[in-house]
Amino acid sequence: MTGAGRIASFARNAAAFAAAAAAGYLLEATGIVNPYWIQIFQLACIMSISALGLNLIYGFTGLFSLGHAAFYGIGAYTAACVMKSAGGESQAVFLVSLAAGTAGAAAVALLVGLPVLRLTSDYLGIATLGFGIIMKVLFDNADSFLPMAGGARGMTGIAKMTNAAWCVASLWIVAVAVRNLVRSGFGRALVSIREDEIAAESVGIDTFLYKLAGFVAGCGLAGMAGGLYAHLYTFLHPGNFDFFKSVDVLVIVVLGGLGNISGTLVASFGWIFLLEVLRVVLPSEFIEFRWVLIPVLLIVTMLLRPQGLFGFREFRFFRDGTEG
């Protein structure tokens, strides 16, 4: 594709996402669609951003991380504290709070990554799981050193700033950024580390530095998603960021296909809406059975599609320029 063609393609996709963001805003503002389902759609966008971050870490770089929810929580609490400290409902402050949440999660990821990324495979998973448990304890007791965080009682009084337009726009920016990143030389280095770390080192790639950069970038996206989440539900509880929330995101990434952007997006929306549809259609006395049906569905999917729902196939927008 020529340079002009790429610009035209980018403009068409930008216009499509802008139209989607505007439509979402209008549907939300006019009340045409049930506000409950609008909120579920927003949550699906937020989950997609978080899952794209984990896909960058696990799918493209091959780092098995089980502490993703901790960085999601760091971003959420950081963004909420910045917004509450500033007061009011300024859009500019909201943007600053999202940037702070992203930067906060990335900074902690840098500190955590320096020692733990020297580990590999299962050991890295256990180390990140341990970090997630530590952060859950800190969230539970945050009120002892940061009273506004609320500790185990939860954090209240967060301004509601996240809407459908913000969610769609944020998801588009992140999806384009991840697509461009994995197409770049940096992204190809990450994939080479995933495929064979020793071979990558033999051609001069500083594998530790690249793994650290991929880990920090993925955790930063989790922090950004956390900031949007905090200002969507206006309430944070430590239980929202425990180990099982990390598993949710991991399931989405594996179900969609490791290293597959399209699959991650589809699996994120499918997972969130499946949970809510089952909540609506199942009788109240059987509602907990959805936690039985969903694992069965996952087992069947993994048996039939072990490479994930999308495998190596991508939507045209996310394809590499060298692919057909």
Side-chain angles (χ1 to χ4, degrees):
M1 184 182 291
T2 63
R6 289 178 188 277
I7 294 174
S9 175
F10 181 84
R12 283 196 299 272
N13 286 288
F17 273 88
Y25 177 77
L26 289 175
L27 290 173
E28 184 180 20
T30 57
I32 294 174
V33 176
N34 186 324
Y36 173 76
W37 290 108
I38 290 285
Q39 190 172 56
I40 297 303
F41 171 78
Q42 294 171 22
L43 178 61
C45 291
I46 293 170
M47 188 61 77
S48 297
I49 294 172
S50 179
L52 284 173
L54 184 61
N55 203 13
L56 195 60
I57 296 170
Y58 185 32
F60 287 102
T61 316
L63 302 172
F64 184 50
S65 173
L66 289 173
H68 206 60
F71 298 101
Y72 187 54
I74 291 170
Y77 276 99
T78 303
C81 287
V82 169
M83 196 77 195
K84 283 190 74 171
S85 299
E89 297 185 355
S90 164
Q91 295 290 327
V93 177
F94 175 52
L95 274 176
V96 171
S97 74
L98 287 183
T102 306
V108 175
L110 177 63
L111 296 176
V112 172
L114 284 172
V116 304
L117 291 182
R118 300 186 186 281
L119 303 172
T120 57
S121 188
D122 300 341
Y123 301 105
L124 176 60
I126 293 170
T128 51
L129 172 62
F131 171 72
I133 293 172
I134 291 171
M135 287 309 304
K136 171 66 167 54
V137 174
L138 286 177
F139 292 149
D140 278 330
N141 298 280
D143 55 336
S144 60
F145 55 87
L146 187 63
M148 75 165 67
R153 299 186 307 277
M155 185 175 184
T156 58
I158 306 168
K160 183 171 176 58
M161 303 300 293
T162 302
N163 56 32
W166 272 114
C167 289
V168 173
S170 301
L171 177 57
W172 180 74
I173 291 170
V174 169
V176 171
V178 171
R179 183 198 68 156
N180 293 344
L181 184 68
V182 298
R183 282 181 176 185
S184 68
F186 175 82
R188 295 184 196 286
L190 295 183
V191 173
S192 71
I193 293 170
R194 179 194 68 189
E195 296 299 320
D196 191 327
E197 188 169 342
I198 296 175
E201 281 182 340
S202 69
V203 295
I205 294 175
D206 187 336
T207 56
F208 178 76
L209 186 61
Y210 276 90
K211 286 194 296 184
L212 183 62
F215 185 70
V216 169
C219 292
L221 292 183
M224 178 182 177
L228 289 167
Y229 176 87
H231 292 100
L232 173 64
Y233 287 97
T234 70
F235 174 74
L236 296 177
H237 189 274
N240 299 134
F241 311 108
D242 61 11
F243 166 69
F244 295 104
K245 299 302 178 185
S246 292
V247 173
D248 272 358
V249 187
L250 182 63
V251 166
I252 288 170
V253 171
V254 174
L255 194 60
L258 293 176
N260 191 300
I261 300 174
S262 310
T264 300
L265 294 176
V266 172
S268 298
F269 278 81
W271 177 258
I272 294 298
F273 276 92
L274 177 62
L275 288 176
E276 293 307 315
V277 168
L278 288 176
R279 187 199 298 275
V280 172
V281 300
L282 289 175
S284 58
E285 62 269 29
F286 295 113
I287 197 165
E288 294 303 321
F289 274 77
R290 62 187 177 140
W291 299 114
V292 176
L293 293 174
I294 289 172
V296 170
L297 175 63
L298 289 174
I299 291 170
V300 172
T301 304
M302 288 299 103
L303 287 173
L304 298 177
R305 296 283 298 176
Q307 71 276 40
L309 292 175
F310 275 61
F312 296 103
R313 303 187 65 177
E314 290 272 19
F315 293 142
R316 184 175 179 181
F317 179 69
F318 296 115
R319 284 182 203 156
D320 191 289
T322 60
E323 296 176 10

